[in-house]
């Protein structure tokens, strides 16, 4: 039975990926912080339903020793490195911890794999934030990077580390350049979930307004459940490589807002207020990915499009809010 190690197993992507790999019959191990193991009800809500089927190890991206021990114990066949400080806004508030944790964490895991499990296939969660300041048009694997946040900078470094471990040491290491991907399991700080959760609360009479920043930013939003399959497919190829995973469509935050409110039968203009506090010091204005290499190499395509995604998230939040209050 293949052994899998997932960092960030308790996050949105980690939860979908675990479900997917369990169905394939893999033995799934995950790294989480000690505080999460001590408080599973709140911290492990996304993987509560599969806790009995997976093995959790406590470790931290800040501690090489903890990661080294876990890799030594499991000797995984595949490792998906998803853990990171992933909220772009927060990365401006705490540049140093974002950069230290994200870059060193990736380096530590790679170094441990090289030393202890050199045949382990490695996936790095790179990001469309690496493209940053782009002009109109689609971004592909050859597009230049111009990150606009400490988070984006940390992901460029992680991308380079991953590629270098592939080229220098022959590790089967792949970068998945994933564009924004969402779901009902998205964290509440990200704009999509912030909107759909607020819509549900407004609909139920529990809230009166939603404060947002830049409504003109454009993103290529896909469904996390689709994207985790691409991660796995990358590691099943004959050769390691880097791939863009996206939908090829771009929409403004305002379009997301309008659709989410109208799906719940609400007029967004009555509730949405612009708040400069949610603007970023440097914005990524537009992202749109060209995923044709992934289609050509392993037949990957997104199955959930923008409208379906927004409705799925609103419906899920309406159900959650209704059940809770
Ligand atoms: O912002 C604008 C904001 O925080 C999207 C992460 O998964 O995807 C994600 O990064 C856009 C930005 O995601 C609010 O200015 C307006 O233009 O949902 P977000 P992100 O920054 O695109 C990439 C691929 C990753 O790798 C990241 O880890 O929405 N926006 N008003 C707002 N954003 C937030 N969060 N809150 C607002 O009130």
């Amino acid at each position: 039975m293949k052994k899998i190690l997932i960092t960030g197993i308790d996050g949105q992507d980690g939860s979908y990926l675990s479900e997917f790999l369990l169905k394939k019959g893999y033995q799934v191990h995950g790294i989480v912080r000690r505080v999460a193991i001590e408080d599973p009800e709140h911290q492990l809500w996304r993987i509560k339903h599969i806790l009995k089927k997976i093995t959790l190890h406590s470790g931290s991206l800040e501690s090489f020793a903890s990661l080294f021990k876990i890799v030594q114990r499991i000797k995984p066949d595949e490792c998906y490195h998803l853990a990171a400080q992933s909220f772009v806004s927060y990365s401006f508030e705490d540049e140093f911890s974002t950069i230290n944790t994200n870059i060193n964490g990736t380096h530590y895991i790679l170094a441990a794999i090289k030393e202890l499990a050199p045949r382990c296939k490695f996936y790095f969660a790179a990001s469309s934030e690496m493209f940053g300041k782009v002009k109109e048009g689609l971004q592909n694997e050859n597009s230049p990077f111009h990150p606009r946040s400490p988070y984006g900078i940390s992901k460029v470094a992680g991308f380079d580390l991953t590629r270098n471990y592939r080229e220098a040491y022959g590790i089967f290491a792949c970068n998945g350049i994933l564009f924004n991907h969402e779901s009902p399991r998205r964290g509440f700080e990200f704009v999509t979930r912030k909107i759909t959760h607020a819509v549900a609360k407004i609909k139920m009479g529990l809230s009166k307004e939603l404060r947002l920043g830049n409504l003109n930013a454009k993103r290529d939003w896909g469904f996390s459940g689709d994207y985790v399959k691409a991660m796995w497919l990358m590691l099943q190829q004959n050769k390691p490589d880097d791939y863009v995973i996206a939908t090829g469509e771009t929409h403004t935050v305002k379009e997301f807002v309008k659709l989410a409110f109208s799906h719940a039968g609400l007029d967004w203009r009555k509730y949405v207020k612009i708040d400069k506090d949610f603007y970023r010091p440097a914005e990524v204005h537009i992202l749109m990915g060209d995923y044709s290499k992934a289609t050509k190499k392993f037949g990957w395509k997104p199955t959930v499009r923008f409208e379906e995604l927004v409705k799925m998230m609103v419906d899920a939040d309406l159900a959650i809010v209704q059940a809770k209050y």
Side-chain angles (χ1 to χ4, degrees):
M1 192 189 274
K2 268 196 184 166
K3 286 181 284 180
I4 310 292
L5 179 60
I6 305 174
T7 73
I9 194 169
D10 49 340
Q12 170 188 252
D13 294 358
S15 68
Y16 284 113
L17 181 63
S18 302
E19 286 170 2
F20 177 75
L21 295 172
L22 284 171
K23 279 198 195 120
K24 293 218 165 287
Y26 290 175
Q27 191 187 105
V28 177
H29 297 257
I31 303 180
V32 294
R33 289 167 203 268
R34 175 155 293 286
V35 287
I37 293 182
E38 282 160 8
D39 182 17
E41 195 58 36
H42 295 105
Q43 311 252 358
L44 301 176
W45 57 274
R46 294 182 181 93
I47 51 172
K48 221 162 57 178
H49 58 297
I50 50 169
L51 278 178
K52 289 202 171 80
K53 298 181 186 155
I54 60 180
T55 310
L56 295 182
H57 305 261
S58 78
S60 151
L61 290 188
E62 278 125 48
S63 158
F64 178 62
S66 73
L67 301 177
F68 189 89
K69 270 193 217 155
I70 295 166
V71 173
Q72 189 169 44
R73 203 176 308 146
I74 302 166
K75 298 245 168 55
D77 297 290
E78 292 177 11
C79 172
Y80 297 84
H81 177 40
L82 312 181
Q85 190 304 95
S86 65
F87 186 33
V88 175
S89 271
Y90 182 72
S91 79
F92 287 106
E93 280 164 42
D94 196 346
E95 297 180 17
F96 293 93
S97 80
T98 301
I99 285 182
N100 285 340
T101 309
N102 289 2
I103 299 179
N104 290 340
T106 305
H107 198 179
Y108 294 159
I109 281 273
L110 277 166
I113 284 174
K114 170 176 167 259
E115 216 53 51
L116 305 163
R119 295 169 72 87
C120 172
K121 295 181 174 180
F122 178 80
Y123 171 88
F124 175 62
S127 162
S128 53
E129 278 294 300
M130 302 189 305
F131 297 120
K133 194 174 179 180
V134 298
K135 299 195 179 78
E136 295 275 340
L138 292 153
Q139 293 80 58
N140 66 22
E141 294 78 6
N142 301 314
S143 302
F145 296 149
H146 185 144
R148 298 266 282 171
S149 63
Y151 170 80
I153 292 165
S154 76
K155 286 290 172 178
V156 172
F159 176 96
D160 283 332
L161 276 162
T162 301
R163 188 170 53 188
N164 198 239
Y165 267 67
R166 177 167 80 217
E167 293 174 357
Y169 309 119
I171 303 288
F172 193 111
C174 299
N175 285 296
I177 309 174
L178 270 52
F179 282 60
N180 296 52
H181 44 290
E182 320 293 314
S183 75
R185 297 183 193 170
R186 191 55 147 147
F188 294 91
E189 66 276 36
F190 298 96
V191 78
T192 53
R193 188 76 200 278
K194 184 175 170 183
I195 296 166
T196 59
H197 192 62
V199 163
K201 286 181 87 173
I202 291 169
K203 183 73 184 173
M204 301 302 293
L206 298 165
S207 178
K208 286 195 168 58
E209 68 169 28
L210 166 60
R211 303 187 83 81
L212 291 172
N214 180 12
L215 297 189
N216 298 318
K218 290 176 136 183
R219 288 292 183 277
D220 178 333
W221 280 294
F223 173 52
S224 169
D226 279 343
Y227 287 32
V228 299
K229 291 179 192 153
M231 297 176 184
W232 176 77
L233 282 163
M234 284 177 213
L235 298 197
Q236 312 314 310
Q237 303 312 301
N238 291 333
K239 283 189 192 149
D241 205 345
D242 308 321
Y243 299 93
V244 160
I245 300 299
T247 70
E249 284 179 39
T250 194
H251 297 273
T252 59
V253 173
K254 195 192 271 179
E255 284 174 73
F256 195 108
V257 166
K258 279 187 188 170
L259 185 56
F261 276 83
S262 74
H263 185 58
L266 299 167
D267 178 358
W268 71 279
R269 282 166 299 193
K270 288 190 191 153
Y271 306 101
V272 174
K273 306 267 178 315
I274 300 302
D275 185 335
K276 294 281 172 204
D277 281 352
F278 293 111
Y279 274 68
R280 295 173 181 178
E283 176 65 284
V284 171
H285 296 290
I286 177 164
L287 290 171
M288 182 163 51
D290 168 6
Y291 61 88
S292 55
K293 179 174 170 185
T295 307
K296 201 170 147 211
K297 287 280 172 72
F298 46 78
W300 184 87
K301 275 185 188 158
T303 68
V304 178
R305 294 289 175 175
F306 181 69
E307 198 174 321
E308 193 186 336
L309 176 69
V310 178
K311 291 179 178 170
M312 176 209 294
M313 291 179 70
V314 172
D315 289 342
D317 270 324
L318 281 168
I320 290 172
V321 173
Q322 263 161 3
K324 207 164 160 194
Y325 299 99

